[in-house]
Amino acid sequence: MKKLNLNEIALLKTCLQKKKISFDYHEDINHLSKEQYNQLRDIVCDELIKKGFSINGEINDYGKKLEDLIDSLGRFFL
């Protein structure tokens, strides 16, 4: 069974809260469709675009964490 680590879960929840989306990771994460995983990735991508880069366009530490989360979510449907 694929899982997100605790930091990834917290980061996902932060991204979802910013969009005012409620999500119970432990109950829901293993029962999503490919489309739903892609929707989660889109939400995290939006956060990456908004907050994941410095003024000069370089990815920051927060952005690296978001990229890792996007990759982890992608592995759920490979």
Side-chain angles (χ1 to χ4, degrees):
M1 177 182 289
K2 296 176 184 170
K3 295 182 180 180
L4 299 178
N5 66 44
L6 293 176
N7 291 330
E8 290 173 323
I9 294 168
L11 185 56
L12 178 60
K13 286 182 179 182
T14 297
C15 294
L16 291 171
Q17 287 171 346
K18 289 181 179 186
K19 297 279 189 175
K20 299 187 182 341
I21 298 171
S22 175
F23 183 76
D24 184 346
Y25 170 80
H26 297 291
E27 290 184 14
D28 297 337
I29 198 72
N30 293 312
H31 304 289
L32 299 177
S33 67
K34 184 176 180 178
E35 179 180 303
Q36 289 169 314
Y37 283 115
N38 280 329
Q39 289 172 343
L40 289 177
R41 290 174 67 199
D42 287 345
I43 290 167
V44 179
C45 283
D46 288 345
E47 182 70 3
L48 174 63
I49 291 166
K50 290 178 185 173
K51 304 280 183 165
F53 297 92
S54 65
I55 293 170
N56 62 1
E58 292 182 25
I59 193 161
N60 58 34
D61 289 339
Y62 184 60
K64 290 175 186 174
K65 291 175 186 176
L66 291 167
E67 279 190 334
D68 290 343
L69 176 56
I70 292 164
D71 290 343
S72 292
L73 287 169
R75 285 192 282 277
F76 276 91
F77 56 84
L78 290 178

